[in-house]
Amino acid sequence: MLLDRIRRLVRHRWMDETARLVPTALVQRLKKQVSDSEQRHTGEVRICIEASLPNSYLLRPVPTRAIIHERALSQFGKLRVWDTEHNNGVLIYLLLAERSIELVADRGLNRHVTAHQWSDMAQRLGQALRDGRFEDGLTQAVEEVSAILEQHYPLAQGQIRPNELPDQPILA
């Protein structure tokens, strides 16, 4: 267990791929995709991409999967994804050091989507990331999340919705 924590710590401390894997042009394409998506539903989609985790997460004697989930929940709160009128915000969280993705949805949307459905979606998207297809994985993530939001929170024709959260992906 200690050896696993040391490996995890080294992997995260040496990770500095954000600029290479997520260039400015990709950030702008993702921003546009989120913006376009939000014209079809009343939900809010946020993307947060981190190269690595802070040491305070890495030194914990718990499985990496649990740590990633905890960090995604923390970012969900920090970015105020929970603070939408219909409680239907979704955070797409990508951790580059682990080639891992987490999808965190607010309580309004979670009434319609099971934990198993979110998990299946995250596994599919995570595979694209592990294969090095970052743009494909993130684009697919936005498309799949948007489809769920369109199904359960469609924007009525002629309805004008305020943009409650920024569309710009966060690079940390």
Side-chain angles (χ1 to χ4, degrees):
M1 187 68 144
L2 179 61
L3 185 57
D4 289 338
R5 283 187 284 173
I6 292 170
R7 285 183 185 138
R8 183 171 59 203
L9 181 66
V10 169
R11 182 172 51 250
H12 282 256
R13 292 298 54 98
W14 291 103
M15 172 55 78
D16 188 19
E17 295 188 75
T18 308
R20 182 177 66 79
L21 295 174
V22 190
T24 303
L26 173 56
V27 171
Q28 292 308 310
R29 286 192 297 275
L30 290 169
K31 178 182 177 181
K32 182 176 182 342
Q33 185 183 14
V34 167
S35 179
D36 291 348
S37 155
E38 290 179 355
Q39 300 308 309
R40 300 185 306 269
H41 56 75
T42 63
E44 290 289 334
V45 178
R46 291 296 323 256
I47 300 172
C48 178
I49 303 169
E50 287 192 302
S52 61
L53 294 173
N55 286 345
S56 61
Y57 283 85
L58 298 173
L59 298 174
R60 296 177 187 170
V62 296
T64 301
R65 196 76 228 133
I67 291 171
I68 296 168
H69 182 70
E70 183 180 331
R71 180 63 175 184
L73 289 173
S74 172
Q75 293 296 78
F76 180 84
K78 179 180 176 183
L79 297 172
R80 301 182 61 92
V81 181
W82 55 268
D83 193 20
T84 62
E85 181 179 352
H86 301 289
N87 299 313
N88 59 355
V90 179
L91 174 66
I92 299 170
Y93 175 79
L94 172 63
L95 180 59
L96 296 175
E98 298 294 336
R99 303 282 199 263
S100 183
I101 192 166
E102 282 282 324
L103 303 170
V104 182
D106 204 351
R107 61 193 174 276
L109 186 56
N110 272 336
R111 285 193 294 254
H112 304 288
V113 183
T114 67
H116 183 71
Q117 288 172 296
W118 287 121
S119 176
D120 285 351
M121 189 184 313
Q123 286 178 352
R124 280 193 308 279
L125 303 172
Q127 188 58 53
L129 301 173
R130 286 185 291 282
D131 292 344
R133 298 180 294 113
F134 294 95
E135 184 165 1
D136 291 345
L138 287 168
T139 298
Q140 183 181 351
V142 173
E143 288 173 3
E144 290 193 32
V145 166
S146 296
I148 289 171
L149 285 165
E150 287 175 52
Q151 178 183 359
H152 298 289
Y153 293 93
L155 190 65
Q157 188 169 0
Q159 181 181 1
I160 298 174
R161 66 177 291 285
N163 194 12
E164 299 177 82
L165 299 172
D167 298 335
Q168 179 79 18
I170 302 296
L171 301 180

